[in-house]
Every structure is written in structure tokens, then in C-alpha cells.
Amino acid sequence: MESLQIPPVDLRLLTPLLIVVGWAGALLLIDVFFVPDGRKKITGYLAIAGLAVAGLAGIPLWNLSGSTFSGMLVLDRYSLALTWIFLIAGALSIAVALDYLPRHAIEQGEYYPLIMFAVGGMILMAQSADLITLFLGIELLSITLYILTGFAYPRVASEEAGMKYLVLGAFAAGFFVYGIALIFGATGATSLAGIAAYLGRQPFAPQEETLFLAGASLVLIGFSFKIALVPFHMWTPDVYEGSPTPVAAFMSVGTKGAALAALLRVTLALEEAQTFWLPILAVLAAATMILGNLGALGQSNLKRMLAYSSIGHAGYILLGIMVAAERGAEAFLFYILAYTLTNLGAFGVLIALEQRGEAAWSIDDFAGLYQRRPLLAVAMALFMFSLAGVPPTAGFMGKFFIFTAAYAGGLGWLVLIGVLTSAIAAYYYLRVVVKMFMQEPVREVRPELTRGLNTEILIAGVATLILGLLPTPIVLLVERSLVALGG
Amino acid sequence: MDVILFAITAAVALIGAIAMLVARNAVHSALFLLLNFAAIAVLFLLLQSPFLFAIQLTVYAGAIMVLFLFVVMLLGAERVEDTPDRIAWQRPLALGLGAALVAVAVVSVLRGAWEVPPGGEAAATFGDPAQLGALLFTNYLLPFQVTGIILLVAVVGVAVLNQRGRTTSTVKRAPSGD
């Protein structure tokens, strides 16, 4: 038998991914053998160090681009920028968990490597140029999150949330795989380039592409579930509420960001079939913006409110994806960054108020926060303004870029819905601010601020302000990061 | 010859499936399902897919069903109590969907779905284990490795979710989804 010819592999292109996954694996062992019980924070610090090293290792790759592993993974500035965003999200999620876990008596050293594995899955999704690796990235991320969701033993809500997420997630994974199989049947390829070549060989005629369209629809359903687009969003509030708050924070920015980033790449590859997916995404985006924000209106539980708000924001981000070929991709990257920092900050404040055995998620617990903890209240107000899209915050600039890009791309009616729903959203975000600054406390809630939490809220707050006040350097960086993204 | 073999295995598969449904004892059900899997494995062999045959036997019949039996016996859930169906519309819906599936199958057979489409003849080496293995180690090297990492995460998850309930024994969950 002839010897196997392994195609050339360029591991340099995968440096951040390899560091994250390799360090996570090593950390599992280090945690078991060298870190004593009760001092598991060390594992957390080591995990943050690993993520930082992976981020630094990405810097020399800025001028590098290419694909490896038979074209399954690509490295371009788009994926590199996303990698950095994901690393930041992972590191901040670990920072808020450092004290949260022991305070709730659910500390296990495995938490930190698991977050790292999830970040690895996200990077894999951002770098995937093949539906198979994309699926594996989604699964690596999802399976990790199923575990982390059920982490808060013995809280029953956490168990329930983990189970719900697992069952629905498995279902969505089924849709996704089935879709890939049908697309492969129709086009003979799983690589995005191969599918694009298939679609480009002749003008797109929907009536002749039934098999392909069936597959693409199923893949779209899989994506919609992960991004929590209406009507595939039902699981989100329950899962966010049940899971430990740092995990909810990570999920709200991580899963969403990675799945949206992958969706952007897929839609760029399917540009020829735009007449098919553009109307579908438009309806999904409209429904998501409207129902996500309306759902948040009635919530008095802040964790659920943030869950609905994250659904609404996915709708806005979807606008950027729909016009990605024009200037949408830049707006998309900026929005993801702004949303990641803001949302992690808001969850950080939530964690500061949360005590063992009793949750302080009710909006009444925020009443009079300004008198007790002025700085914390100011930070929370900043995050709420940013989520609502009030200048001069990151959220405002993000919405501004998304809406202008979508308007220029001819999606005027969606922009109108976006602006109207933002106005609705302002009501429930500002309600929190009003409570904090203008009302007397209803009951005694003692916020516990620790070093990790302080740092996280500070970083998120400062970044939210800087992105809002001086967006130009970031915008330039983002613009440059998209030079190579030809689809 | 092929037709006779097919008829026998198909009959065994059908009997296994029906017996699994009507058996009152969960262990018997599982064993009948095992029979069904074995028959389907033989069907794969008749379709010239030795690799699928081996996979069907080792993975489904070997690993999954053994695990299944193990859990059923461990939980002592052999006996089914005669409780009325909680969800009343479930049974008619299942019957309806099953009938629809049969109808679709019959229609596609009547329309000649078994004829090989032009150019659709499978290559002689299709499904050949050696080729599959070669692909796994060349073109699909990366997915192969990533799958390994996913399995590692799943194993860690089992350990994590069980460990935290050390004082109780209520944790029975596998973290892999698909």
C-alpha cells in the first residue's frame, strides 16, 4: 500500500487556537495535581495568563494570511480580530468568576479550563472555511456550555437550565448536520469556497436548487438557534437565568458573537444565492428586534431582562451581516466588540450584587444603589446607556455604524424597525438607571466588590467610554481587518 | 440469492422493531432493538458496505445498546407501569406521522426511486475502510483531532457534573448532545 500523503500543514496560522486549547488541556492536569483545593483561584489566574499569551501570539500574525488543513481553516485579519474579541470575553468571564464561584460554594478548578475550551471552539468557528470544522467548533463551544450551565449545583434551576439547553442544543445540532449533508449532496463540497464555486457556475435559479436550498435552510435554523433569533429564542431567558451568572455573561457575548461571525462568513460564500437568504434573514432580524425588545419590557428580573436584550441585540447585529458585502462587516465587528464589553460589564455589576443563597436580580434591588455605591451605580448606568445606544457610549457608535451601513445597503425599512425598537429598549434600560439614582432602597443589598470584579467592571466601563468617545482608532483597525475578507 | 438473503434479514429487522415496540419489559425491548440493529448491519453488508456493517455492530449494537441495557438494569426500570398517556394528542400524532412516512416511501418506490440515476453508480472502493482511514488522516486530519478534543471535554464534563454531587447520588446525566 502506498504511503499516505498528508497535505502540508501550516501550524503558524493556528497559533492562538493551539495555545488556548493546549494550555486548557495542560491546565486540567495542573489543576488536579498541583493546585490544592481551596486555592483554585490560581487555576483561574493561569487560565487568564494563557488567554493573554494567545492574544499576544496573534500579533505577529496580523500581516499573515492563508489557509491550511486542506483549506478547512483560514487565517485573515477578520478571524484574528474576532479571536482577540473572544479572548477578551473569555478572560473577563474568568475574572468575574474568580470570587463568584467560591462565594456560591460551587468552585471547581475545571471551570477555568472549560471556559478556555469554549474560547477555543469560538476561535475555531471564526477561522472555519469549511462547514465540517464550523460544526465541530460549534459543538466544542456548546458541549462546554452545557456543562457550565449546569455548574451551579445544587441549585435546581441550574440543572434545569443545563438540561433544557442540552436537549434543544442537540436538536439544533441535528438540524445543522442534516443541512450540511444535504448541501454536500447538492454541491459535492463542504468547503465554503467549493460551495461558492458551485453557486457561481451559473446564474442562481431557486427552482433548480431544491436540495441545496433545503440544506441551506436547515443550516440557517441551526445558526438561528445558536444566535437565539426569534422564533428560535425560547430557551434563552430560562438558560440565562438558571446558569451561574458568569456563565450567562460569557454565553450572551460568546455563543452569539461566534455564531454570528461564522454566519457572516457563510453568507458571504453564498452571495450568489442572496435572493434566497436575504428575505429570510430580513424577516428573522425584524422579528428578533421587535419581540426581543418587547419581551424585555415586562421583565422585573434583571437577568431575564438582559437575556431578552441580548436577543434584541442579535437582531441589530444581523443587519450588519445582511449588508456585509458593503460596509456591514466593519459595522458588525465594531458592534460585536462594543456589545461584548458593555454586556460583560453589566453582568459584572449583577454579579457584584449577587449573594450566596439569595439572588438580587430583581430590579428593586437596584433602587438607591447610587447612595450606597456611587461608582458601581455610575458604571451600571454607563452600561445601560451603552446598551440603549445613548451617546457618547460604545453602544451608540455601534448602532450608528450598523444602521448607516444597513441604510446604505438598501434595508431602509429594517433600519426604521431598528430605530423604533431602540426607542422601546431605552425605556427598560433607563428604568434601571432611574431606580438606581432616584429611588430609595427597598431592602438591604450589600454589593461585594472584589479585585477580579473591580478590574472587570473598570475595564469594561473604560472601554465602553473610549469606544464611544474616540471610535476612530478602533474603526481604522476594524477597516484594515477586513481588507482580505473577499468572501 | 441476494433477494432471498434480503427478504430474510428484512423480515428479521421488521420483527425485531415491532417486538421492541410491543414488549412490556424494557430489557426485552432493548434486546429486540439489538436484534433489529444486527439485521440492519447485515443489510449494510448486502449493500456492499462492509465498513458500515462493522460500525453498526460495534458502535450501535456493541457500545450503545450495552450502555442502554446497563442503565435500564441499574435504574430497575424494567417494568412499565400502566399509566395513561399524559399527553393525549401524542399517540394519534405519532400514528399520523408514521402513516405519512410510509406513504412517502411507497410513492417514491412506485415512482422508481430504486433505479440508479445516470452516473450514480458508486465507485468500487466506496465505503472501503482503508480509504476512509486514509481520508481521516489526510484531508480530514483537523476535524479528526478536534473531535478528540470534544470527547475530552465531554469526559471532563461527566467528571465535573458527578463530582459536585459527591454527597448525594442524584446525578445521572451525560453531557454529550448528539
Side-chain angles (χ1 to χ4, degrees):
Chain A
M1 190 181 158
E2 78 274 30
S3 64
L4 288 178
Q5 289 299 316
I6 296 176
V9 169
D10 189 355
L11 288 181
R12 265 183 321 159
L13 304 180
L14 308 181
T15 320
L17 178 64
L18 291 177
I19 292 177
V20 168
V21 173
W23 185 231
L27 200 56
L28 278 175
L29 295 177
I30 295 173
D31 175 62
V32 171
F33 290 113
F34 299 111
V35 182
D37 275 344
R39 307 196 59 189
K40 292 295 182 193
K41 252 185 217 176
I42 297 172
T43 317
Y45 287 123
L46 287 175
I48 293 180
L51 293 175
V53 169
L56 291 177
I59 293 175
L61 303 179
W62 184 248
N63 287 319
L64 211 62
S65 70
S67 66
T68 183
F69 281 106
S70 336
M72 285 191 163
L73 288 191
V74 294
L75 175 87
D76 45 26
R77 288 181 176 179
Y78 172 71
S79 70
L80 199 56
L82 283 166
T83 301
W84 281 327
I85 297 179
F86 297 154
L87 290 172
I88 293 172
L92 291 182
S93 306
I94 291 175
V96 291
L98 285 174
D99 296 293
Y100 178 94
L101 297 181
R103 204 193 311 162
H104 292 251
I106 52 170
E107 186 175 47
Q108 283 187 51
E110 286 84 1
Y111 177 91
Y112 309 109
L114 281 176
I115 291 267
M116 290 190 80
F117 276 121
V119 172
M122 286 152 68
I123 298 175
L124 191 65
M125 287 163 77
Q127 290 201 312
S128 284
D130 192 294
L131 290 177
I132 290 181
T133 41
L134 177 57
F135 173 71
L136 289 174
I138 293 180
E139 281 311 289
L140 180 55
L141 172 62
S142 303
I143 289 179
T144 320
L145 287 177
Y146 302 147
I147 301 164
L148 290 173
T149 304
F151 211 80
Y153 188 83
R155 207 152 54 83
V156 182
S158 169
E159 300 252 307
E160 186 193 325
M163 198 64 204
K164 251 182 206 164
Y165 195 30
L166 167 70
V167 172
L168 287 174
F171 210 55
F175 275 103
F176 203 90
V177 178
Y178 200 14
I180 295 176
L182 291 186
I183 288 180
F184 180 72
T187 66
T190 57
S191 72
L192 296 181
I195 296 169
Y198 168 83
L199 288 174
R201 80 202 184 312
Q202 62 188 42
F204 181 68
Q207 60 279 3
E208 286 167 23
E209 305 284 355
T210 325
L211 193 58
F212 171 75
L213 292 184
S217 312
L218 290 177
V219 167
L220 203 58
I221 291 176
F223 269 123
S224 303
F225 176 84
K226 292 292 166 202
I227 306 169
L229 296 175
V230 175
F232 305 100
H233 68 292
M234 300 295 184
W235 56 275
T236 317
D238 287 353
V239 171
Y240 281 21
E241 193 189 359
S243 49
T245 316
V247 177
F250 182 68
M251 270 162 77
S252 71
V253 298
T255 335
K256 234 169 250 266
L260 282 162
L263 181 62
L264 190 144
R265 225 189 253 284
V266 172
T267 50
L268 275 181
L270 301 188
E271 212 174 348
E272 293 290 330
Q274 206 176 33
T275 47
F276 161 69
W277 54 258
L278 201 59
I280 298 180
L281 283 190
V283 171
L284 285 177
T288 307
M289 287 188 286
I290 295 172
L291 289 177
N293 284 312
L294 285 183
L297 273 184
Q299 302 300 328
S300 60
N301 178 332
L302 221 67
K303 219 169 160 185
R304 286 184 83 86
M305 188 200 96
L306 282 176
Y308 276 108
S309 117
S310 83
I311 296 174
H313 279 279
Y316 300 129
I317 302 175
L318 205 55
L319 291 189
I321 292 183
M322 290 162 66
V323 291
E326 283 106 65
R327 300 187 58 83
E330 295 155 27
F332 164 81
L333 269 184
F334 189 90
Y335 201 108
I336 289 273
L337 179 63
Y339 175 71
T340 301
L341 291 165
T342 310
N343 216 35
L344 282 174
F347 270 106
V349 177
L350 218 58
I351 289 170
L353 290 178
E354 195 174 330
Q355 280 146 342
R356 180 160 184 207
E358 70 171 316
W361 302 330
S362 161
I363 190 163
D364 288 328
D365 294 330
F366 280 78
L369 186 66
Y370 179 65
Q371 282 118 43
R372 282 173 286 140
R373 290 279 185 157
L375 282 179
L376 195 64
V378 168
M380 187 63 175
L382 182 66
F383 298 135
M384 288 295 123
F385 281 136
S386 180
L387 284 175
V390 177
T393 54
F396 168 74
M397 295 313 296
K399 278 213 174 72
F400 177 74
F401 289 139
I402 285 268
F403 287 158
T404 43
Y407 187 75
L411 298 173
W413 65 281
L414 278 176
V415 174
L416 187 68
I417 293 181
V419 172
L420 287 179
T421 51
S422 302
I424 298 176
Y427 167 73
Y428 60 80
Y429 290 127
L430 298 187
R431 198 172 52 170
V432 179
V433 179
V434 169
K435 282 267 179 198
M436 285 191 305
F437 284 86
M438 299 181 184
Q439 292 193 358
E440 291 302 313
V442 179
R443 70 185 178 100
E444 187 62 29
V445 179
R446 186 176 296 279
E448 261 187 68
L449 282 169
T450 48
R451 199 176 345 144
L453 209 50
N454 269 332
T455 322
E456 193 260 5
I457 296 175
L458 187 72
I459 292 177
V462 170
T464 306
L465 259 185
I466 289 182
L467 281 181
L469 288 171
L470 301 165
T472 329
I474 298 291
V475 170
L476 281 179
L477 202 64
V478 163
E479 266 175 10
R480 259 184 240 139
S481 75
L482 289 167
V483 173
L485 189 74
Chain B
M1 185 62 195
D2 268 6
V3 178
I4 302 170
L5 278 178
F6 171 76
I8 296 173
T9 28
V12 173
L14 271 180
I15 293 170
I18 294 171
M20 180 208 118
L21 280 178
V22 296
R24 308 291 303 162
N25 188 318
V27 174
H28 295 176
S29 271
L31 289 173
F32 278 122
L33 188 59
L34 200 61
L35 178 69
N36 173 268
F37 281 163
I40 296 212
V42 176
L43 285 184
F44 280 135
L45 206 55
L46 285 176
L47 288 169
Q48 268 122 44
S49 306
F51 186 64
L52 277 183
F53 162 76
I55 289 284
Q56 172 83 10
L57 273 189
T58 51
V59 176
Y60 282 93
I64 294 183
M65 279 322 289
V66 168
L67 192 71
F68 211 88
L69 274 176
F70 200 62
V71 171
V72 167
M73 289 177 172
L74 208 65
L75 295 183
E78 294 97 333
R79 292 277 152 207
V80 193
E81 287 107 48
D82 274 316
T83 46
D85 228 342
R86 288 270 178 81
I87 311 169
W89 46 266
Q90 197 168 263
R91 192 172 289 240
L93 182 72
L95 285 175
L97 288 178
L101 197 61
V102 171
V104 169
V106 168
V107 168
S108 29
V109 166
L110 287 181
R111 288 178 61 188
W114 71 83
E115 278 166 33
V116 180
E121 199 71 58
T125 51
F126 181 77
D128 178 28
Q131 275 217 324
L132 266 172
L135 272 180
L136 272 188
F137 282 99
T138 54
N139 287 358
Y140 295 93
L141 183 61
L142 180 82
F144 186 60
Q145 307 281 354
V146 175
T147 312
I149 295 172
I150 293 179
L151 289 178
L152 170 71
V153 169
V155 171
V156 172
V158 172
V160 166
L161 291 179
N162 278 308
Q163 203 181 24
R164 60 193 192 157
R166 241 176 286 177
T167 46
T168 59
S169 60
T170 53
V171 184
K172 300 151 196 128
R173 185 193 312 163
S176 85
D178 22 318

